[in-house]
Amino acid sequence: MAKKASPYEIEVTVISAEGLRLSRNQPVKNNSYVVVRSDPFSTRKTGMDRDGGSYPAWNEKLQMELPATARFLTVEAHSGSSLVGAANIPVSDFAAAFLPRNYLNFLSYRLRDARGGKNGILNLSVRVTRRPGPTGSAEPWPGVPVAADGKAGVVTGIPVGKSNHV
């Protein structure tokens, strides 16, 4: 059975991180990268920052599908083979229905290490580049209600160009 394409597509730009540490007294020295997961089957990874130390910068765009059932986007910071910290980003932080299409959200999240302790901050931006349309199609959502005839209408049901004045 073939995997059905997701109606959502996102663009995650991993900008930078701050204060990454391998342990309480050992800052990250080099070879850091970030893994972004929307589900077990949709994972993307940045290239390595070899010189940034505890304050790496990537500024790297990652395109990925976001399943309609996803509730979180998981981001993990790594140094070499070690997990430095992770955060779960609620999908509602960047894909709420009231946000216009292609709205760029700049986000910063506290990373937590394997024991739950604070371990740095990750800065990123997220943009929903494709979402289901008002009729359930995969067309971009226009951000305004659409009348049955396909023309933009108003929420009250008064057709465009008609007045409710008597």
Side-chain angles (χ1 to χ4, degrees):
M1 186 168 161
K3 182 183 171 198
K4 185 178 176 185
S6 171
Y8 294 91
E9 188 173 287
I10 59 174
E11 174 187 276
V12 179
T13 303
V14 181
I15 301 168
S16 64
E18 307 167 23
L20 299 182
R21 298 187 166 280
L22 291 172
S23 66
R24 188 173 185 168
N25 298 321
Q26 183 182 8
V28 167
K29 297 210 188 291
N30 55 20
N31 297 336
S32 56
Y33 62 95
V34 172
V35 175
V36 181
R37 300 178 203 283
S38 61
D39 71 6
F41 305 107
S42 186
T43 301
R44 300 290 183 273
K45 164 170 111 164
T46 66
M48 281 200 187
D49 178 276
R50 300 192 186 281
D51 305 322
S54 290
Y55 294 84
W58 298 277
N59 202 28
E60 192 170 327
K61 289 184 182 182
L62 308 172
Q63 293 281 340
M64 61 193 317
E65 288 188 345
L66 180 70
T69 58
R71 299 291 175 244
F72 294 95
L73 191 65
T74 302
V75 292
E76 302 171 347
H78 294 262
S79 179
S81 61
S82 301
L83 174 65
V84 175
N88 286 323
I89 302 170
V91 169
S92 60
D93 282 5
F94 59 85
F98 59 84
L99 293 174
R101 181 180 47 146
N102 284 324
Y103 185 81
L104 185 61
N105 298 276
F106 285 93
L107 307 167
S108 294
Y109 282 88
R110 167 71 67 190
L111 297 175
R112 300 281 178 170
D113 62 19
R115 294 178 310 229
K118 297 176 182 177
N119 195 3
I121 295 172
L122 185 67
N123 303 303
L124 55 119
S125 68
V126 181
R127 176 191 324 256
V128 178
T129 56
R130 186 182 71 211
R131 70 171 81 210
T135 60
S137 68
E139 293 298 315
W141 181 63
V144 297
V146 176
D149 61 1
K151 296 180 181 174
V154 293
V155 177
T156 60
I158 301 169
V160 174
K162 302 250 180 169
S163 173
N164 62 348
H165 295 103
V166 183

